[in-house]
Amino acid sequence: MLKNSLLAAAIALTLGAPTAFAAEPQQLDGSVTVAVSPLTSQGDVARQLGQSGYSDIRLTPVRPTQIDPRPDLEDAGSTVAADQTPVHSGWNGSAVRNGQRVNVLVNEQRA
C-alpha cells in the first residue's frame, strides 16, 4: 500500500499535479455545480439534484483530508439531518447520473 502511495505521489509530481492532491476528492468522471443561496441545506441540494435526474446523492459536511479523501463514500448518505445541515462553497459530495458518479460542487450566490 505504501509503495502504491509513493508511486502515485511520484507520478503526480512528475506530471505537475499539486502536492495536496491526497486531501482533495479523487477525480471522478465529472462534476455538477449547483448555485445556491448561503442558507441552503443539504436537503435542498439533494432535492434539486434529484429533480435533475441524479441518484445515489451522497452529501457530507465533512471536508476531505489526507486520511479521509472521500468522506461522502464512507457515509451511507444519511438524510436524517439533511434539512438542518448547511452546504458550503466548493465540494460537498457526489451523485450518480447516467451510471457515472460525479462530484457535487456548490457555488453560493450572494444577493
Side-chain angles (χ1 to χ4, degrees):
M1 178 97 168
L2 181 59
K3 286 182 182 180
N4 289 342
S5 297
L6 292 174
L7 179 60
I11 291 170
L13 289 173
T14 302
L15 297 175
T19 56
F21 73 95
E24 298 173 9
Q26 73 185 38
Q27 225 20 37
L28 297 178
D29 292 327
S31 63
V32 57
T33 301
V34 181
V36 300
S37 70
L39 300 177
T40 301
S41 72
Q42 286 184 351
D44 296 329
V45 170
R47 282 187 287 280
Q48 185 176 347
L49 289 169
Q51 291 170 354
S52 296
Y54 289 88
S55 63
D56 195 15
I57 301 161
R58 298 184 182 190
L59 303 177
T60 178
V62 179
R63 293 188 188 263
T65 66
Q66 289 183 350
I67 295 170
D68 189 6
R70 292 310 307 261
D72 60 318
L73 298 181
E74 292 178 20
D75 183 4
S78 173
T79 57
V80 173
D83 285 325
Q84 289 78 38
T85 305
V87 294
H88 52 270
S89 289
W91 183 85
N92 278 260
S94 63
V96 173
R97 186 168 185 192
N98 298 328
Q100 296 185 329
R101 182 162 296 281
V102 297
N103 288 307
V104 174
L105 307 175
V106 170
N107 182 11
E108 288 185 325
Q109 302 291 312
R110 302 277 177 192

